[in-house]
Amino acid sequence: MMMNRQKFIDKFMAAFVLLAMFKIIGIVAQLFHESFWSVVGTLGIFLIVAFIILIVITFLKDKEQNNRNSVGRKSSGSSNFYLENSLFDKIRSKYEELAEKYIAEKDYKKAARVYMNLLQDNYRGAKTLENGGLYNEAAVVYLKKLNNKSDAAVCYEKAKQHKKAIELYKEMEQKEKVGDLYKEINDLKNAHHYYQLVADDYTGNNQMVKASLVYRKKMEKTEEAQKVLLKGWEEDKDAFNCLNNYFANIFDIKKLESEIMNLYEKTPDNKKITYLDAMKYEFKKSQELHAVTRNIAYEIIAEKVNTRSEIVNELKFFNPNDEVILKDISRFKTARNKMFRN
């Protein structure tokens, strides 16, 4: 068993030396397509790590020699398996320590090479470059090694490589993000083109409030935003939220008061309860709106009370400090209950 273990270490060492020779040849060959100092840096890292591995192997050989007289009870196969795992765990641990050392020294490129070339972990390599502010280099790794367009686009954006980021966002069909980046580089024509595509998608899916936000906040087209909200209210596509946002975009109180009355006159019977709910929000906005919103509420309550008796409770909302109206509501409920009992 000890002999098998010794043979395994000898074979592993021979294989490692052979692989090291091939690796050195491969690194030198990189001179044809990479800069001299980049190749020298990679070669330096490899030689350091190779030295560490040789130390570990030598240590294991010495340890094995000292323990030759100790006979284990495990089978030869299981011993080899344990030794192999132990060896690779130690090597991996040394790689991790080396990468962390480079990160502590803020040498993010070398740390990334350790992750990618030695630990075969391209994602950690890319993330290390990104965390070190090497956004262009990180983007290339995300794209070429991981085919991760999303993280690559984010890195190009951080690097202010807007055109490269825009192309990736276009490929991923993130139209609003494309519009944002065009706006950031003051290309308003293209920005508005993509914002319009986003707004069209929202209206096509009956998401009128979201479409209005694109018009108002992204394109600064308040009138278009109001048209979309009015369309949503009239066509009963998220009607309450459309009406609520429509009123919220009118900041002049007199104009808002006029619009509340005009829209109420055009409101069909089946949507008056929704209009009543909207009046609650407008009532709270300003003392100046109390009269118009209360009058509309009274009209709707009076029309609906025969079929929806519980609607009388809404009077309390529009008369919060009126104790008399609370008594009137109570009397109304009592009288109605008696009527039904009889």
Side-chain angles (χ1 to χ4, degrees):
M1 183 175 64
M2 293 297 175
M3 185 62 69
N4 287 339
R5 204 181 276 178
Q6 184 64 37
K7 285 181 180 179
F8 170 76
I9 293 175
D10 291 340
K11 287 180 181 179
F12 184 87
M13 189 168 186
F16 174 75
V17 172
L18 186 62
L19 287 172
M21 291 174 61
F22 283 121
K23 182 66 177 179
I24 291 170
I25 293 169
I27 291 172
V28 173
Q30 291 179 6
L31 280 169
F32 292 103
H33 55 83
E34 290 189 16
S35 68
F36 173 77
W37 291 112
S38 175
V39 173
V40 169
T42 303
L43 182 59
I45 293 171
F46 178 75
L47 290 175
I48 291 169
V49 174
F51 179 71
I52 293 170
I53 294 172
L54 285 173
I55 291 174
V56 173
I57 294 174
T58 303
F59 170 77
L60 289 172
K61 282 188 71 176
D62 292 342
K63 186 176 179 181
E64 190 63 33
Q65 188 69 31
N66 293 333
N67 292 334
R68 279 191 176 229
N69 296 325
S70 301
V71 180
R73 295 183 180 180
K74 296 181 180 178
S75 67
S76 175
S78 64
S79 297
N80 285 343
F81 178 77
Y82 171 78
L83 184 62
E84 184 179 353
N85 278 328
S86 175
L87 179 62
F88 281 109
D89 285 344
K90 288 185 179 184
I91 293 170
R92 184 175 183 83
S93 177
K94 291 296 180 183
Y95 288 161
E96 294 282 357
E97 288 175 11
L98 184 62
E100 289 171 8
K101 173 179 172 292
Y102 284 137
I103 290 172
E105 295 171 355
K106 300 190 184 303
D107 197 338
Y108 299 102
K109 284 188 177 180
K110 285 184 179 179
R113 287 195 191 110
V114 171
Y115 283 128
M116 291 188 290
N117 295 337
L118 303 178
L119 289 168
Q120 301 297 307
D121 192 336
N122 292 324
Y123 182 79
R124 287 174 75 188
K127 208 67 184 171
T128 298
L129 291 169
E130 184 180 354
N131 292 338
L134 302 168
Y135 301 123
N136 281 305
E137 292 87 340
V140 171
V141 176
Y142 280 129
L143 272 181
K144 293 186 176 180
K145 300 286 187 181
L146 299 165
N147 194 29
N148 186 333
K149 294 180 182 179
S150 179
D151 284 342
V154 170
C155 284
Y156 278 134
E157 192 177 347
K158 288 178 179 178
K160 304 299 180 184
Q161 297 283 340
H162 293 102
K163 289 186 178 179
K164 289 182 179 180
I166 284 170
E167 290 308 310
L168 289 175
Y169 283 124
K170 282 181 180 178
E171 289 177 23
M172 293 184 286
E173 296 187 353
Q174 294 188 26
K175 300 169 190 173
E176 188 168 349
K177 193 65 182 178
V178 173
D180 289 342
L181 290 180
Y182 272 127
K183 190 174 183 179
E184 194 168 325
I185 60 175
N186 294 317
D187 186 346
L188 295 183
K189 181 179 178 182
N190 275 316
H192 283 198
H193 170 71
Y194 278 90
Y195 285 147
Q196 186 63 58
L197 293 177
V198 175
D200 290 344
D201 286 342
Y202 281 139
T203 53
N205 292 321
N206 297 329
Q207 295 174 290
M208 303 307 202
V209 174
K210 287 186 176 180
S212 75
L213 291 174
V214 173
Y215 280 121
R216 186 166 61 86
K217 293 189 174 182
K218 302 285 188 176
M219 303 172 75
E220 299 178 0
K221 294 183 177 181
T222 303
E223 288 186 11
E224 291 298 320
Q226 293 296 78
K227 286 179 183 177
V228 169
L229 291 170
L230 204 54
K231 180 181 174 68
W233 162 248
E234 291 170 350
E235 296 181 3
D236 208 13
K237 296 172 180 177
D238 195 14
F240 172 77
N241 287 319
C242 284
L243 184 63
N244 195 28
N245 279 271
Y246 180 83
F247 289 146
N249 293 335
I250 302 173
F251 302 102
D252 182 273
I253 293 296
K254 291 296 181 183
K255 185 177 179 182
L256 177 56
E257 182 180 23
S258 175
E259 196 63 18
I260 286 172
M261 289 189 292
N262 289 338
L263 275 186
Y264 176 65
E265 290 173 2
K266 302 172 187 176
T267 299
D269 186 67
N270 66 311
K271 292 167 73 174
K272 285 191 174 178
I273 297 296
T274 304
Y275 207 91
L276 176 63
D277 291 334
M279 290 302 97
K280 292 180 181 180
Y281 282 86
E282 304 313 308
F283 181 83
K284 290 188 292 185
K285 276 185 186 177
S286 169
Q287 186 79 24
E288 296 177 58
L289 294 175
H290 281 190
V292 64
T293 54
R294 184 185 287 121
N295 288 336
I296 289 173
Y298 285 173
E299 282 190 31
I300 295 172
I301 291 167
E303 287 179 17
K304 302 294 182 181
V305 73
N306 289 329
T307 55
R308 298 183 57 165
S309 60
E310 73 280 1
I311 201 172
V312 73
N313 291 316
E314 302 292 356
L315 290 171
K316 292 186 289 186
F317 187 90
F318 296 94
N319 300 275
N321 301 316
D322 191 339
E323 294 183 3
V324 175
I325 203 161
L326 294 177
K327 293 177 181 178
D328 290 340
I329 292 170
S330 180
R331 281 196 294 269
F332 172 82
K333 288 181 177 179
T334 301
R336 191 172 181 82
N337 289 337
K338 284 181 180 180
M339 181 180 71
F340 279 108
R341 281 200 298 269
N342 295 332

